[in-house]
Amino acid sequence: HRLDNVAATLGGGAVVFGGRIAMNGFVPGELSLTATGERMRFNYPEGFRSEIDADLTLRGNIGSPVLAGNVTVRDAIYGRRFETDPNFFNFGGTTLPTGAPAAASAVPLRFDIRVDAPGGSLRVENNIASVAARADLRVQGTYDRPILSGRVEIDRASIAFEGNRFVTTRGTIDFSNPNLIEPYFDIEAETRARVSDQTYRVTIGLLGTMRSLIPTFTSD
């Protein structure tokens, strides 16, 4: 069976499907399908409003298909309010909750997708932060256990905390854990505070994962 330039709309964007599905009798066999879409809008990841382009292929047999290709983020913005609490920087020794392993899925899908977000296309705009970032990521693994690798680089960011506005001097978020999606933060921000006719440069650093995030504070 062939799909020849089948046009559709997904997330408000135009998508064109093509390729073929080989049949073994009445059972689907080898897959060779393509999908190209532009300006598709999704509420994904959770909390973000995203607009993306995608050029994807689905290959392999029906028992072990691989979804591969490229996704380009045109714009993704997170605007949800963030409510701080008195223990905002109390990260030391915290651990993420663990639960029972997920049940095996009936979807035998594997991924090999590159995600490119050019400079400034990833944004946070809410009550405490204004952030613009870029990313070069790769999604691999399976439908049940996706793995994310690569880096997010912060181009610019300002964060309001305790009446002061901190501006980042450097910031990266790396994904390198081969067993789970776990970001590793290396972020530094500074502000200038005036106390009793003296001006201080206060620097805050965050280093590590959410399981063991280490905050540092210095001032000049």
Side-chain angles (χ1 to χ4, degrees):
H1 295 271
R2 294 193 61 86
L3 299 175
D4 292 322
N5 297 323
V6 177
T9 300
L10 181 63
V15 184
V16 177
F17 296 94
R20 62 187 297 272
I21 303 174
M23 301 295 294
N24 294 327
F26 295 101
V27 178
E30 289 293 318
L31 305 172
S32 181
L33 299 172
T34 63
T36 302
E38 294 185 346
R39 296 188 177 278
M40 297 176 291
R41 294 184 294 274
F42 301 99
N43 292 324
Y44 186 84
E46 184 179 356
F48 277 84
R49 299 192 311 272
S50 304
E51 183 177 289
I52 66 170
D53 296 340
D55 186 3
L56 302 174
T57 63
L58 182 65
R59 301 188 186 278
N61 59 58
I62 195 66
S64 182
V66 178
L67 183 64
N70 299 290
V71 171
T72 301
V73 178
R74 287 178 175 265
D75 187 56
I77 183 169
Y78 184 89
R80 187 175 297 174
R81 288 181 59 86
F82 185 83
E83 301 301 334
T84 59
D85 62 42
N87 296 316
F88 184 72
F89 286 107
N90 185 22
F91 295 112
T94 60
T95 58
L96 295 178
T98 58
S105 170
V107 181
L109 184 64
R110 291 181 292 130
F111 299 113
D112 187 11
I113 301 172
R114 183 187 173 195
V115 180
D116 178 38
S121 60
L122 301 180
R123 295 182 291 134
V124 176
E125 297 288 346
N126 61 17
N127 56 313
I128 69 164
S130 176
V131 181
R134 69 185 68 203
D136 186 1
L137 303 169
R138 192 171 183 182
V139 181
Q140 295 177 295
T142 65
Y143 180 84
D144 298 309
R145 295 192 62 183
I147 297 298
L148 185 64
S149 60
R151 167 172 285 192
V152 177
E153 296 187 28
I154 297 175
D155 295 325
R156 58 173 176 80
S158 63
I159 300 172
F161 178 67
E162 295 293 339
N164 294 301
R165 183 157 295 275
F166 288 80
V167 178
T168 53
T169 55
R170 73 165 189 268
T172 59
I173 305 171
D174 288 299
F175 296 86
S176 57
N177 191 324
N179 298 313
L180 73 160
I181 298 176
E182 183 179 52
Y184 184 92
F185 299 90
D186 183 1
I187 298 173
E188 184 180 86
E190 67 177 34
T191 190
R192 293 186 181 274
R194 189 169 180 81
V195 180
S196 300
D197 295 327
Q198 298 290 328
T199 300
Y200 296 86
R201 183 178 64 182
V202 181
T203 302
I204 294 177
L206 296 175
L207 186 67
T209 68
M210 289 304 296
R211 294 176 182 267
S212 58
L213 195 59
I214 302 171
T216 60
F217 299 87
T218 60
S219 64
D220 297 327

